[in-house]
Structures are given as structure tokens and as C-alpha cells.
Amino acid sequence: MEAVLRPYELGTTQWYVLYQLAHCGPTMQRDLVKALQVERATLSAIIGVLVRKGLVEQVPDRVDQRQKLLRMTAAGARLWKELPDLAVIHDVAFKGMDDTAIANAIRVLQTATERLEKFIDRS
Amino acid sequence: MEAVLRPYELGTTQWYVLYQLAHCGPTMQRDLVKALQVERATLSAIIGVLVRKGLVEQVPDRVDQRQKLLRMTAAGARLWKELPDLAVIHDVAFKGMDDTAIANAIRVLQTATERLEKFIDRS
DNA sequence: ACAATATTGTCAGATGGCTAACAAAAAAGC
DNA sequence: GCTTTTTTGTTAGCCATCTGACAATATTGT
């Protein structure tokens, strides 16, 4: 992803923010934190970059003034349309491989992840 | 790993440097770059941290003055002995799982990685 | 209603990763 | 032998991530 995105001066997480805004419309920053599985502070920094680049706007909510709504700007939408389709990456990596083997791999990793998370919580 | 190492103020890559020095003895910095699969600049920064902490020494080579030999200090060896065994992490993640399933998962990921690397090289 | 608590975003400072550019030293070529 | 190239490490600057502390704002509890 880095390699594909570099010419556009976009990092992968920046790309993911744009992806969310393009597919789900304007979103509260706090909801993006959950969607991207990232810390509040991390997202704050990333949004900061996107705002400085003029690709995303932060609109304070009228009822809850803590929250901010994120919206793609016209420039953001323009850039988004120029971006190449990242699905090729998935194809390059997995096309033609045995589907059940892939599914198995995913299960193995998910199980390991869950176990480690439980372990960290307990300790 | 982060969670286990945090009480000792060690990052995972710092740990890995100590691991190498503990298991393979003093090592040239350039060889560590290959062992850790990391950029020269990245390792340089990490070594910088370990040197500041007094856990590792950088000794310029007598014959080739560009190269630097890395050696654990007494303080580094002392800390290393205190560190918990990280094998528990492997156990927590994978113990009791089907070995062939794990081997399959590894194969899937290795293949995907190789394909992506080839793709990046070509493009 | 007011005090205590929880949520949301930001800032500061750290790690770890990258690239690009540089300096010093060694090796290769001519 | 001297020039050019390669190797080695560092520095600077960027992105992404984390934790911890903070301010502002809501919510809850009494």
C-alpha cells in the first residue's frame, strides 16, 4: 500500500480515513476511532494532517460540542477519484490460492489474536 | 511483547538487539541490519537509545574504521538476566492448536509476502 | 442544582519504521 | 597512484503508533 500511495503523498491510515468518508459519508471522529481501531490521539494527529492538506473538514457538532464531524472536502473527493484501486493488492497477494487454506489461515490468526488479547487483559 | 517489556522500559526491537547480542555475542552493526531486517537508519536510532541507556557499547573496528562492533555492557547483561521469558507469548497464542493448521497459515502468509515483494520490485 | 464522573479531542513526548542526503572510509578500475 | 564507486553509519524529516496529562463539555448521582 505504501508503495502505491506514495506518489499521492498519502499514508495508509490517511487513505483509510478517506475510504471511510467516501463509503460511509460524514462520520464522527469518535466513531472513526472504533472503525480504524486506533487511539484517539493517533487519529487526532492523522486528521490534523488531512485537514492541513485540505482534504477533510472538522465540523463541531451543534448539540454535543465535544464531538466533531468529519467530512471530505471537494478537494478530498477530487483526489479520491484519482486514486488507483487498491484491490489489485489483494489479487496480487491471494489470487489463485486455495480458498479454504486462506480461510484456515485467517482462523488461526484470529484465534491467536483473541488469546493474546485475553492474556493481556488478565495480566 | 510490548506489554511484557513495558515495565523494563524496553521496546521490542531493542529487546531483539539484546537477544542477538546475548545469543551470538558481539556483532557488527551491519550484520544486525540483516538479522533484524531493518534499515540502516532505523537500527542506528535504536542503537542510539541502547547506548544512551548504557546497555550496549559501540566499538569502532580497528581495520575497517567505518564499521562498529556492538557489545553488551555489564549493565546490559544484568538487565537481560532479569527479563522474563518471552516464549510464554508463543504458548499463549498457539499452544494446543493444530500444528498442520499453523504450518498452513505460515505457508499462506509467506506466499502472499513473496508475491507482494515481487510485485513491488517489478512496478 | 451542584458536585463528581465520563467522554471527546488535543498536546507533548516516546518508540519504531521509512526515505533521502551526507560524510567518512574502503575497495575497484583504470 | 588517483579517481570513482561502494559500503557503513549518522542525521534530518516524515508517518504511524502509543501513553499520559489536560481542557472542555456532557452526564450522572445525590
Side-chain angles (χ1 to χ4, degrees):
Chain A
M1 280 180 75
E2 289 83 3
V4 175
L5 257 19
R6 194 161 326 130
Y8 301 89
E9 310 248 303
L10 265 190
T12 56
T13 313
Q14 293 173 40
W15 175 87
Y16 205 13
V17 170
L18 294 185
Y19 173 87
Q20 287 287 330
L21 295 185
H23 284 68
C24 308
T27 311
M28 284 303 176
Q29 192 163 324
R30 43 174 287 275
D31 294 326
L32 256 191
V33 165
K34 288 170 208 154
L36 305 203
Q37 302 241 88
V38 115
E39 290 300 314
R40 285 204 310 286
T42 304
L43 184 57
S44 184
I46 303 227
I47 300 297
V49 172
L50 290 172
V51 167
R52 270 200 304 284
K53 289 184 186 170
L55 303 176
V56 166
E57 280 176 321
Q58 263 178 327
V59 188
D61 191 296
R62 296 270 162 76
V63 298
D64 186 341
Q65 302 228 275
R66 291 169 306 182
Q67 301 186 56
K68 295 185 182 172
L69 187 72
L70 302 175
R71 198 197 313 146
M72 222 188 279
T73 63
R78 230 176 297 131
L79 175 62
W80 181 250
K81 276 192 297 191
E82 283 177 23
L83 255 29
D85 180 8
L86 292 190
V88 280
I89 292 180
H90 189 277
D91 285 354
V92 168
F94 298 112
K95 199 165 204 173
M97 287 181 57
D98 181 13
D99 282 353
T100 64
I102 296 177
N104 273 335
I106 293 177
R107 258 215 320 281
V108 166
L109 296 177
Q110 254 170 6
T111 307
T113 304
E114 280 163 21
R115 289 210 219 167
L116 286 170
E117 274 166 3
K118 241 178 265 169
F119 175 70
I120 289 178
D121 284 351
R122 277 188 299 118
S123 66
Chain B
M1 282 182 73
E2 288 82 4
V4 175
L5 258 18
R6 194 160 323 132
Y8 302 89
E9 309 248 301
L10 265 191
T12 57
T13 312
Q14 294 173 39
W15 176 86
Y16 203 12
V17 170
L18 294 185
Y19 173 87
Q20 287 286 330
L21 296 185
H23 284 69
C24 309
T27 310
M28 285 302 177
Q29 192 162 325
R30 42 174 290 272
D31 295 325
L32 255 191
V33 164
K34 288 170 208 155
L36 305 204
Q37 300 240 88
V38 114
E39 289 302 313
R40 283 201 313 285
T42 304
L43 184 57
S44 184
I46 303 226
I47 299 298
V49 172
L50 290 172
V51 168
R52 271 201 305 284
K53 289 184 187 170
L55 303 176
V56 166
E57 278 176 322
Q58 263 177 328
V59 188
D61 189 296
R62 295 267 163 77
V63 299
D64 186 340
Q65 303 227 273
R66 291 168 307 182
Q67 301 185 58
K68 295 185 181 171
L69 186 73
L70 302 176
R71 198 196 314 146
M72 223 187 277
T73 63
R78 229 176 297 131
L79 175 62
W80 182 251
K81 276 192 297 192
E82 283 178 23
L83 255 31
D85 180 8
L86 292 190
V88 280
I89 292 180
H90 190 278
D91 286 354
V92 167
F94 298 113
K95 199 164 203 174
M97 287 181 57
D98 181 11
D99 282 353
T100 64
I102 295 177
N104 272 334
I106 292 176
R107 257 216 320 281
V108 165
L109 295 178
Q110 255 170 5
T111 307
T113 304
E114 281 163 21
R115 288 210 219 171
L116 286 170
E117 274 166 3
K118 239 179 268 172
F119 176 70
I120 289 179
D121 284 350
R122 279 187 299 116
S123 67

